[in-house]
Amino acid sequence: MKHTLLAAALLPAFAAAAPDTDGAAVRKLIERHYNRPFPAQKCQLTAPPKDSYQQPENFAYCMKPAAAHTVNRNGKTTRYVLYTGFAYDTREKRKDESHAASGLAELFVLEKTGGTWVLKQHGRSEIGAWGEPPQEWRFVQVGGQNWGYQTESGYTNQGVTETAQSFIFTDNNGVAHSDIPASNDNGGMYGDCNEYKGAEKRSCQNSQTSLEAEITFNRAAEHNGVWEIQAVLSGRAGKTRYAKQKYAMPYNSGKRSHLIPKNYPI
């Protein structure tokens, strides 16, 4: 199955970064936020977000720098820094690789003023599976003066594979997070329907789902500094066919996320 990342302004991690002359100062500033160095894993430990279901005292995330990019944002030199981390059991002293555990992504946004870096925005989002965050991230522009990081997440369970395009980014006021369902395929559950005949074959075909969406930004629609997302869907869900059907997903600054329309079938 082929999945398409956003076509606009995608860059491999670090590829667009300015010469990292201030990297040590920026990293030192960010790691004050953690203040729980863990030399055994060469990372910084942090507690889960307050709204996380993962709240036992022995649960933490082991955070490391994953990407950094520098842009000119509203006329100021601004650095976006992404940290990611895996789930860690501090009591058992091991990674938490359970199915229910996710990883963590944290976005730090710093501005340089008079030769000094200042932390301006910060946000975090639990993402990933089996205790690990996604490993591949891309730097993406999400609005006229806002950027962030994009990744693909997904899982397979009982023959059903689902993926989503996930974003952690800034709007004009803070850090936001959006998950956009990108594909759904239950072929692993039903197998090849051509192996059946008659009513069995029709029943199999009517139960199969194979949907995939191309996810892009609509630069003509912007709210609180963030562009609308457009999903162009193709495939089938039982008897229903989709041929490049478009779905608009506007940004909602109150929810700090893009809104998925109720009729979106993934």
Side-chain angles (χ1 to χ4, degrees):
M1 181 181 295
K2 181 181 180 181
H3 304 299
T4 305
L5 296 176
L6 289 180
L10 287 180
L11 298 169
F14 297 106
D20 195 12
T21 56
D22 298 328
V26 168
R27 183 166 179 166
K28 184 177 180 180
L29 180 61
I30 290 174
E31 293 193 348
R32 290 178 188 170
H33 162 78
Y34 295 116
N35 198 31
R36 291 179 64 188
F38 186 39
Q41 291 287 341
K42 298 180 180 179
C43 67
Q44 294 276 348
L45 294 179
T46 190
K50 292 181 180 180
D51 60 352
S52 171
Y53 70 93
Q54 299 276 16
Q55 290 297 337
E57 293 182 359
N58 59 303
F59 187 89
Y61 286 108
C62 185
M63 307 300 293
K64 299 179 182 180
H69 291 78
T70 302
V71 297
N72 185 311
R73 186 185 186 208
N74 298 316
K76 297 181 179 179
T77 300
T78 304
R79 180 164 294 196
Y80 283 72
V81 182
L82 179 71
Y83 272 59
T84 62
F86 59 81
Y88 187 77
D89 188 321
T90 57
R91 184 179 301 154
E92 299 291 335
K93 301 186 185 305
R94 59 173 177 79
K95 290 183 179 181
D96 184 340
E97 298 177 331
S98 63
H99 178 68
S102 66
L104 184 70
E106 293 201 73
L107 180 62
F108 299 87
V109 183
L110 304 95
E111 287 183 3
K112 192 174 185 180
T113 304
T116 301
W117 287 99
V118 178
L119 180 61
K120 289 294 187 178
Q121 294 173 315
H122 166 244
R124 56 211 313 241
S125 177
E126 289 180 301
I127 182 174
W130 304 103
E132 289 281 356
Q135 299 301 306
E136 296 184 7
W137 296 82
R138 294 176 183 267
F139 191 60
V140 56
Q141 187 172 4
V142 303
Q145 291 296 310
N146 285 292
W147 289 261
Y149 289 92
Q150 176 197 0
T151 189
E152 181 175 272
S153 58
Y155 72 96
T156 298
N157 185 34
Q158 296 183 346
V160 179
T161 299
E162 297 181 356
T163 69
Q165 294 298 323
S166 298
F167 306 84
I168 185 167
F169 57 95
T170 58
D171 62 16
N172 288 342
N173 304 114
V175 172
H177 173 250
S178 290
D179 287 312
I180 311 299
S183 73
N184 184 306
D185 192 301
N186 65 3
M189 178 184 294
Y190 292 98
D192 185 358
C193 293
N194 292 322
E195 295 179 354
Y196 303 102
K197 295 181 180 180
E200 280 189 303
K201 182 176 182 179
R202 290 191 296 273
S203 177
C204 177
Q205 292 173 332
N206 292 339
S207 300
Q208 276 198 327
T209 294
S210 181
L211 297 171
E212 184 170 4
E214 180 182 359
I215 309 299
T216 59
F217 281 120
N218 176 12
R219 297 187 176 214
E222 184 173 332
H223 178 71
N224 198 27
V226 179
W227 293 319
E228 177 182 277
I229 282 177
Q230 179 176 266
V232 181
L233 184 69
S234 297
R236 60 177 292 173
K239 295 180 180 181
T240 305
R241 302 290 194 273
Y242 299 88
K244 297 185 177 180
Q245 186 163 330
K246 296 179 180 179
Y247 295 86
M249 302 179 181
Y251 179 67
N252 183 297
S253 57
K255 295 181 179 296
R256 287 276 168 84
S257 183
H258 288 84
L259 300 181
I260 310 299
K262 292 182 180 180
N263 66 336
Y264 186 58
I266 298 182

